[in-house]
């Protein structure tokens, strides 16, 4: 099994030598603006905070607390370090986690576009996909993180290959989800500084494009803005460059909440 990519510089939950960070107790958030001062809720770690691109466990906790019950089947087709598996177990749900490059035991190898699950199996699906090529997840040729959302496809459509792969992922999520049940997709738009003469766009509205694809399969329930605890946001040099060069650091992720509603009961 190939070693997962890690980011050793990412800070852990400690705030000083031997001193634990004081996390507030987790509870269900009432509004569409979500923030929490740590990657993980509670005393234990969920997933691996050193896995680059790991989902904050409290985001998954919020979704599962609202949209699932004990024993429900939770599927994550792009499970990475297994955060969804750990939070599901913590809440006594029944998880299945898949990834094109499994990084730990319990994560099953599968392509998110072709899951080894029957139709209408899951009570909830959570997806935190690659947002274009901003993280090098693995050398797997079918990794969607190798598809650049700013590159034209063969027909010249910007991001055509990335969005086509993500459509396949979203369509598969729809297939495995029970009717009248929910899914969450956690994603950020993307910004890349370009040379002035570049013909590639700097801003990629990845979130809006994926939301639009999801509307072909699901009914929108709500859109959450999740405040990012990104290191770049606090570093002086990044903040200075963002103002001097007139671009924005990415301050939030979307969490899109969707419902499968195919109009028939009991499917
Ligand atoms: C943002 S990470 C997910 C992080 C995860 N939720 C966690 O907390 O660790 C995106 C994941 O998508 C996986 N991935 C990329 N292409 C895939 C594909 N075609 N099928 C399944 N997984 C894929 C990558 O290997 C990576 O682990």
């Amino acid at each position: 099994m190939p070693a997962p990519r890690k980011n050793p510089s990412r800070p852990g939950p400690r705030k000083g030598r031997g001193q634990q960070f004081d996390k507030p107790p987790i509870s269900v958030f009432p509004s569409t603006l979500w923030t929490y001062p740590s990657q993980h809720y509670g005393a234990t770690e969920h997933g691996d905070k050193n896995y680059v691109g790991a989902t904050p466990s409290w985001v998954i906790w919020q979704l599962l607390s609202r949209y699932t019950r004990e024993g429900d089947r939770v599927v994550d087709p792009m499970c990475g370090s297994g955060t969804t598996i750990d939070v599901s177990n913590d809440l006594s749900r029944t998880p299945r986690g898949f990834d094109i490059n499994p990084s730990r035991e319990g994560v099953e190898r599968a392509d998110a576009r072709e899951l080894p699950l029957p139709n209408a199996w899951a009570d909830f699906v959570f997806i935190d996909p690659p947002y274009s090529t901003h993280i090098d997840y693995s050398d797997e040729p079918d990794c969607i993180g190798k598809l650049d959302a700013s590159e034209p496809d063969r027909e010249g459509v910007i991001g055509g290959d990335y969005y086509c792969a993500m459509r396949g992922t979203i369509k598969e999520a729809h297939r495995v989800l029970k009717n009248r049940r929910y899914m969450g997709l956690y994603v950020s738009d993307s910004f890349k500084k370009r040379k002035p003469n570049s013909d590639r766009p700097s801003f990629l509205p990845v979130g809006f494009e994926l939301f639009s694809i999801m509307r072909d399969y699901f009914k929108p329930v709500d859109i959450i803005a999740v405040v990012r605890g990104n290191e770049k946001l606090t570093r002086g040099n990044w903040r200075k460059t963002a103002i001097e060069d007139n671009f924005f650091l990415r301050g939030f992720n979307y969490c899109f909440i969707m419902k499968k509603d195919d109009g028939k009961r009991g499917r």
Side-chain angles (χ1 to χ4, degrees):
M1 184 182 292
R5 310 264 154 113
K6 299 235 174 182
N7 177 5
S9 66
R10 202 150 164 173
R14 289 181 183 281
K15 64 177 179 183
R17 201 179 292 167
Q19 210 180 355
Q20 281 293 326
F21 185 88
D22 298 323
K23 295 181 197 175
I26 188 98
S27 57
V28 176
F29 296 155
S31 88
T32 54
L33 182 63
W34 289 5
T35 184
Y36 188 77
S38 174
Q39 175 83 359
H40 299 286
Y41 67 91
T44 54
E45 197 174 294
H46 311 95
D48 180 351
K49 69 177 186 302
N50 291 320
Y51 188 92
V52 187
T55 315
S57 64
W58 57 268
V59 170
I60 300 170
W61 188 96
Q62 292 293 330
L63 291 169
L64 297 190
S65 297
R66 274 188 183 257
Y67 297 106
T68 64
R69 297 177 285 258
E70 272 195 23
D72 274 2
R73 295 165 174 171
V74 176
V75 169
D76 186 336
M78 297 177 144
C79 198
S81 66
T83 313
T84 304
I85 293 177
D86 294 341
V87 177
S88 296
N89 286 330
D90 193 29
L91 292 174
S92 305
R93 276 55 167 172
T94 311
R96 290 282 295 273
F98 304 92
D99 202 281
I100 202 75
N101 180 47
S103 66
R104 65 171 242 203
E105 227 165 90
V107 177
E108 303 169 59
R109 184 180 299 275
D111 192 310
R113 294 161 284 185
E114 211 176 338
L115 297 174
L117 292 175
N119 294 347
W121 187 86
D123 297 293
F124 189 84
V125 176
F126 175 76
I127 309 177
D128 179 0
Y131 323 147
S132 188
T133 49
H134 70 314
I135 292 176
D136 179 14
Y137 289 107
S138 70
D139 296 327
E140 288 294 332
D142 291 328
C143 177
I144 292 173
K146 299 209 172 304
L147 303 175
D148 191 330
S150 69
E151 284 288 323
D153 66 9
R154 271 190 298 183
E155 267 104 55
V157 178
I158 295 288
D161 290 334
Y162 171 78
Y163 291 115
C164 178
M166 282 309 301
R167 178 176 286 278
T169 300
I170 289 163
K171 192 173 170 204
E172 187 66 345
H174 177 269
R175 183 187 72 76
V176 303
L177 188 62
K178 289 179 187 165
N179 198 23
R180 299 188 183 278
R181 300 310 299 259
Y182 296 82
M183 69 156 293
L185 188 133
Y186 182 70
V187 68
S188 164
D189 296 322
S190 172
F191 181 89
K192 208 181 221 176
K193 267 181 80 181
R194 306 272 182 200
K195 298 218 164 78
N197 58 352
S198 171
D199 58 354
R200 300 280 181 271
S202 286
F203 175 64
L204 303 173
V206 177
F208 264 47
E209 298 290 355
L210 295 187
F211 182 73
S212 161
I213 293 171
M214 279 192 295
R215 291 201 69 176
D216 290 343
Y217 301 91
F218 297 95
K219 286 205 169 145
V221 174
D222 221 319
I223 299 177
I224 308 295
V226 180
V227 176
R228 288 171 71 137
N230 194 316
E231 278 173 78
K232 277 187 190 169
L233 289 169
T234 52
R235 280 204 198 137
N237 54 341
W238 276 99
R239 295 167 71 90
K240 193 164 162 265
T241 313
I243 292 165
E244 281 172 3
D245 293 359
N246 205 11
F247 67 88
F248 294 96
L249 301 173
R250 309 248 64 80
F252 71 93
N253 272 33
Y254 304 96
C255 184
F256 298 126
I257 302 167
M258 313 296 281
K259 184 178 184 183
K260 176 168 173 175
D261 190 347
D262 288 354
K264 292 176 199 146
R265 288 203 175 271
R267 280 177 61 187

